[in-house]
Amino acid sequence: MTIENAIKYVQQLFADDCSGHDYHHTMRVYRLAIKIAEQENADMLIVQLAALLHDVDDVKLSPETYETKKNAVDFMKSNGVDDIIIDSVCKIIDEVSFAGTDSVVPSTIEGKCVQDADRMDAIGAIGIARAFAYGGCKGRKIYDPDIKPMLNMNKEEYLQNHNSTSINHFYEKLLLLKDMMNTETAKKMAEHRQAVMGAYLEEFVAEWEGER
């Protein structure tokens, strides 16, 4: 019942999101996390809760609750989740996000499964669509050859990198994720999605330059 309630909760919370962090993103991460967790023998309840709640206190979406994880904690407490599980889920949520050179490897296999699932949804065909949805939501240009990607950013630089472009985002984050996957299951899945992004960027540049 708790999982069903969590699904309903995120569906309501993200109903109007147009940034690529919508309900369907959460559900894709949820399904991917379960798939990875089954292969990695992780605690399924913790993985399910962390996957469903991973964005409810995201610093980009809810900066006022980011530090305390208030949304996640309030939901779990109201659904009678054990305090030990609440602590485990909150730790995963804290570790899951990409933070440039400050990105952390989760301390548990459950955290690794959720982080891999979240990163998997940022790459491939869906990752391409989400990159442009997020860029448009933030008023970013699609591409500007005069604006170069900022590489090797730390967490603060990454979060404040407002003048970038959607194409730069591939070089600043998305193309790095394949080699940051934690589990063997995710590493194998990421290969194809990486190839899709590489082919897309090659085509984009060729069309931009008028070669095709």
Side-chain angles (χ1 to χ4, degrees):
M1 192 65 188
T2 300
I3 298 303
E4 291 174 13
N5 289 343
I7 291 171
K8 291 174 185 173
Y9 174 60
V10 295
Q11 188 170 17
Q12 292 170 346
L13 192 66
F14 298 127
D16 299 323
D17 182 88
C18 298
S19 74
H21 298 83
D22 56 8
Y23 163 70
H24 297 289
H25 160 67
T26 294
M27 292 307 295
R28 288 192 303 270
V29 171
Y30 172 65
R31 290 190 293 268
L32 279 167
I34 289 173
K35 186 175 182 179
I36 296 168
E38 286 172 346
Q39 298 298 317
E40 302 295 332
N41 297 315
D43 184 301
M44 196 59 75
L45 177 61
I46 291 174
V47 167
Q48 287 176 302
L49 282 171
L52 288 168
L53 300 173
H54 81 278
D55 269 345
V56 302
D57 295 292
D58 186 277
V59 67
K60 299 184 296 295
L61 309 174
S62 184
E64 67 278 4
T65 66
Y66 167 68
E67 291 291 342
T68 61
K69 306 292 179 287
K70 184 180 188 320
N71 291 334
V73 170
D74 286 355
F75 169 81
M76 287 187 282
K77 284 190 172 179
S78 69
N79 279 268
V81 177
D82 184 88
D83 283 346
I84 294 174
I85 293 177
I86 290 175
D87 289 344
S88 297
V89 170
C90 286
K91 186 167 180 58
I92 291 171
I93 294 171
D94 212 33
E95 295 173 336
V96 72
S97 292
F98 178 82
T101 56
D102 293 322
S103 298
V104 299
V105 175
S107 50
T108 63
I109 187 59
E110 291 76 22
K112 290 174 181 177
C113 292
V114 175
Q115 187 184 70
D116 281 358
D118 189 38
R119 287 176 172 173
M120 195 72 67
D121 202 57
I123 62 177
I126 285 175
I128 292 169
R130 291 184 65 219
F132 290 110
Y134 186 78
C137 183
K138 294 299 179 181
R140 289 181 175 177
K141 296 178 180 180
I142 292 174
Y143 179 52
D144 184 338
D146 293 330
I147 302 175
K148 304 302 180 187
M150 288 181 61
L151 306 179
N152 301 312
M153 286 183 284
N154 61 28
K155 182 177 182 179
E156 185 177 357
E157 289 169 331
Y158 175 72
L159 291 175
Q160 292 180 351
N161 187 27
H162 302 306
N163 192 38
S164 194
T165 68
S166 292
I167 289 294
N168 282 357
H169 188 59
F170 287 86
Y171 300 97
E172 293 167 350
K173 175 184 177 181
L174 306 187
L175 292 171
L176 308 177
L177 296 180
K178 177 180 75 73
D179 292 334
M180 296 174 74
M181 296 293 175
N182 303 290
T183 63
E184 290 304 314
T185 307
K187 287 175 184 176
K188 291 173 186 171
M189 292 172 68
E191 293 285 347
H192 174 72
R193 297 193 184 204
Q194 185 84 351
V196 168
M197 291 193 299
Y200 173 78
L201 290 169
E202 184 180 330
E203 178 67 20
F204 182 95
V205 171
E207 292 183 15
W208 184 275
E209 300 292 343
E211 296 170 4
R212 293 197 180 100

